[in-house]
Amino acid sequence: MKIILLALSFFALFTIASAQQAKNPIIFADVPDMSMIRVGDTYYMSSTTMHMNPGLPIMKSKDLVNWTLVNYAYNILGDTEELNLSQHKNAYGHGSWASSLRFHDGKYYVSTFSANTGKTHIYTTRDIENGPWEAKEFMPMLHDHSLFFEHGKTYILWGGGRLHMAELAPDFSGIKPGTERILIQDASLPSLPKNGKMGLPAEGSQMFKINGMYYLFNISWPAGGMRTVIVHRAARLEGPYEGRVVLQDQGVAQGGLIDMPNGQWYAYLFQDHGAVGRIPFLVPVDWENGWPVLGVQGKVPVELNLSANQSLIPGIVNSDDFNRKKGQSDLPLVWQWNHNPDPKLWSVIERKGFLRLKTGELTDDFLRAKNTLTQRTIGPLCSGSIAMDISQMKDGDFAGLSLLQKNYGLLGVLMEGNNKSLIMVNATTGIPEEVAKISLQEQRIFLKASCDFTNKRDIAEFFYSTDGQHWTAIGSPLKMNYTIPHFMGYRFGIFNYASKAAGGYVDIDYFQITPN
C-alpha cells in the first residue's frame, strides 16, 4: 500500500471533526488578486498564477470557506520565448496578472492581461467547471482591469492612480473607438497621507452595482503605511465618484464584495504574508448610509460568523499517487507546470502508477529547467515528499524535489559518470550554493521538504530517506524570501533536467503533502 494512503487517512479524520467557526485567513496559501461571483448558492473565484500553466485558475465553494480547483481558463497563455522558458528568457513575475470574473446572461467571463503578450485576454464559457472556453485577445494590456455589463454593453475599467473606462466591441476584439474616458483623475486621494506621498497608487479595480449604486474597489499603499482599501461610489456609471478609505488593517486589501443568499455581505481581500505568498481573507461588511463598512470596529477579525470544517486538502493542494484509470493521462488541477511545459517530456501512463519526467533541452540552471511540476505550499506548517526511481538517469542529469522561488532550495540526485550523489542546494542569498553532498548507491530515494510559515518564520528544511520511514536532515535551513522578481509564494516542485545529454528520466512514485 502506498504512503499516499496516510494522507487520505489524515484527511478523513480531519473532515469528520465537528464543525467549527471559520477563521482567517480563509486560504493560508498563495491565492492573490481574487475576483469572485455567486451564481445561485455557488461561489466561483479566479486568481493569479503568473508564469504557471495551465493558468487563470477557477475555484468553487458552497460556503465561502472551503474552495476547490475546478478549472483553468487557459492551458497556455501564449507561445513566446519568455513563456516557453527558452533562449535564456523567462516570464518569472509576469505571465498573466489580476483577473476579472463575471457572470452575465448565462455566460461566464474571466479576463486577464499580460506583459509577455502585451495583450488583454478574455475567456468565455457557458460551463465554468468544464468549459470549453472561447478565447479573445486584443492590444494593449489593460492593467488591473474590471469587466462590467450594463444595458447590453460591456465596459472595462483599468489603470493605476488615474482610472480609465471604455466600452468593448461586441465581439471583444478591442476597445470600441471613441469610448475611452478618464473615470477618476486620482483614485488614490482618499488615502493620501499627511506627508503627501503615495507608494502604490490606486489599482486593482473591481466594479459592482448594488441597489442602484455603483461601487468601485481599489487598493493603494500610502508611503510609510500599509495596503489600504478604497471605495468610490456614484449614482451613475460615468460618475461623478466620491471616495473614502474603508479598511486599513494588517495590510489586508485588494478585492471586492460578495453577498450570501441569506443577505450577509463579505469583502474578499488578501494579505502579503511573507514567503507563503498572498493569502485570502474574508472581512464582514455592514452597510451604513449606502456605504460598505468593513471589519469589526475597523479591524479584520480572526473568527468569522461562518461554520465550516476548514481545509486546503484536497481542494487547493493534494497528494498524488500517479495511479490513473485506463485511458486517463492527465494531472489533477492542483498541479501546475513552471512556464509552458513540453508534453513530450512527461507521462503518467508510460509506467503505471508513476510520473515519468524525461530530460530535454540542456541547462545547468534549475530556474531555466523546463517541466518542473509544482504545487502551492500551505501554512502555517506543511511538508511535501516524493519517492523517486533514479535508475535511468544519465551522466549530467539532476532530479529531485525543490522549493521554487528566486531564492530557492532543492534536494536532488546528481549523476556524474556512473556515480550518483545526493545534493542539497541553498539559494537563500540569491546565489545557489551546494551545502551538502553524499554518495548514493540506491536506485530509489525518498526526499522531503518541510516549511514553517508560522508568524512569518519562513524557514524550510530538507530530509532524505532510503526506506520512506526514517528521515535524515541534510544541508542547511532555507530562509525563504518572497521576492518581487518571481512575485509568487514558494511552491513544491518536482524537477529533472540534463546538463550533458537528453534522454534520461526519473519515475516519481508519489507526491505526499501534509499540513504539518
Side-chain angles (χ1 to χ4, degrees), residues 352-398:
K352 183 175 175 58
F354 288 80
L355 165 69
R356 176 162 292 178
L357 290 180
K358 306 174 186 178
T359 60
E361 187 174 310
L362 303 185
T363 185
D364 58 1
D365 183 350
F366 164 67
L367 294 180
R368 294 177 183 169
K370 288 190 176 183
N371 282 24
T372 295
L373 187 61
T374 79
Q375 281 201 44
R376 295 169 177 84
T377 56
I378 61 175
L381 303 168
C382 67
S383 292
S385 59
I386 63 171
M388 184 169 67
D389 182 334
I390 55 178
S391 60
Q392 300 301 314
M393 296 180 71
K394 287 189 173 184
D395 181 26
D397 289 1
F398 192 27

Side-chain angles (χ1 to χ4, degrees), residues 224-237:
M226 68 180 72
R227 288 182 178 267
T228 300
V229 183
I230 302 171
V231 169
H232 285 81
R233 74 173 188 178
R236 299 171 60 248
L237 177 61

Side-chain angles (χ1 to χ4, degrees), residues 98-113:
S99 59
S100 177
L101 177 63
R102 296 292 181 259
F103 180 70
H104 178 67
D105 283 349
K107 294 182 73 173
Y108 296 88
Y109 300 79
V110 62
S111 59
T112 185
F113 66 102

Side-chain angles (χ1 to χ4, degrees), residues 320-459:
D320 195 346
D321 63 5
F322 299 113
N323 275 312
R324 300 292 184 266
K325 294 179 181 179
K326 187 174 181 179
Q328 290 184 333
S329 59
D330 55 359
L331 292 165
L333 297 175
V334 292
W335 291 111
Q336 286 180 287
W337 298 100
N338 179 21
H339 289 67
N340 291 344
D342 185 337
K344 301 187 300 296
L345 300 180
W346 72 274
S347 173
V348 289
I349 59 175
E350 287 189 19
R351 181 180 177 186
K352 183 175 175 58
F354 288 80
L355 165 69
R356 176 162 292 178
L357 290 180
K358 306 174 186 178
T359 60
E361 187 174 310
L362 303 185
T363 185
D364 58 1
D365 183 350
F366 164 67
L367 294 180
R368 294 177 183 169
K370 288 190 176 183
N371 282 24
T372 295
L373 187 61
T374 79
Q375 281 201 44
R376 295 169 177 84
T377 56
I378 61 175
L381 303 168
C382 67
S383 292
S385 59
I386 63 171
M388 184 169 67
D389 182 334
I390 55 178
S391 60
Q392 300 301 314
M393 296 180 71
K394 287 189 173 184
D395 181 26
D397 289 1
F398 192 27
L401 179 67
S402 64
L403 286 169
L404 174 62
Q405 233 277 359
K406 177 180 176 292
N407 298 352
Y408 61 84
L410 57 82
L411 180 58
V413 176
L414 177 64
M415 187 79 167
E416 296 174 295
N418 294 318
N419 299 315
K420 295 186 179 77
S421 300
L422 188 62
I423 292 176
M424 192 265 168
V425 176
N426 191 320
T428 290
T429 64
I431 300 174
E433 179 184 0
E434 182 183 302
V435 295
K437 182 177 183 178
I438 60 174
S439 178
L440 277 184
Q441 302 302 319
E442 291 78 12
Q443 299 301 315
R444 179 178 169 91
I445 190 72
F446 302 82
L447 309 176
K448 179 167 68 173
S450 295
C451 304
D452 184 353
F453 300 109
T454 307
N455 298 321
K456 299 184 183 179
R457 186 166 182 260
D458 294 350
I459 295 291

